[in-house]
Amino acid sequence: MSSVAVIDLPLSLDADQVLRVGKTRVSFDSIIQAFLDGATPEEIVQRFPSVSLADSYAVIAYYLRNKAEMDSY
């Protein structure tokens, strides 16, 4: 059986305690607000070109799995 790579969550807290996506200055809040406004992950990447498509999907998936916790953030 081959091994499956586990991906790291592309979120980190900056010095001001703001969640940032990957190694960008784009905030978690910006990605999720765009998603809640109806943008697809592809459209989000068009709005925020420094965010990869994979990170866009990963952040949205994390939000959907942890909605209550992330809404309180």
Side-chain angles (χ1 to χ4, degrees), residues 6-71:
V6 177
I7 61 168
D8 291 324
L9 181 62
L11 291 174
S12 60
L13 277 175
D14 69 10
D16 297 319
Q17 301 301 300
V18 175
L19 279 174
R20 301 288 176 188
V21 179
K23 297 186 185 298
T24 73
R25 299 270 311 135
V26 178
S27 70
F28 169 83
D29 295 340
S30 297
I31 299 295
I32 297 308
Q33 189 58 58
F35 173 71
L36 294 174
D37 288 344
T40 65
E42 290 80 7
E43 291 168 335
I44 290 169
V45 170
Q46 289 176 347
R47 291 183 198 181
F48 304 102
S50 60
V51 175
S52 73
L53 184 58
D55 285 354
S56 179
Y57 271 100
V59 168
I60 292 167
Y62 182 79
Y63 171 74
L64 292 172
R65 286 188 180 115
N66 300 280
K67 192 172 182 320
E69 175 188 351
M70 298 315 293
D71 282 345

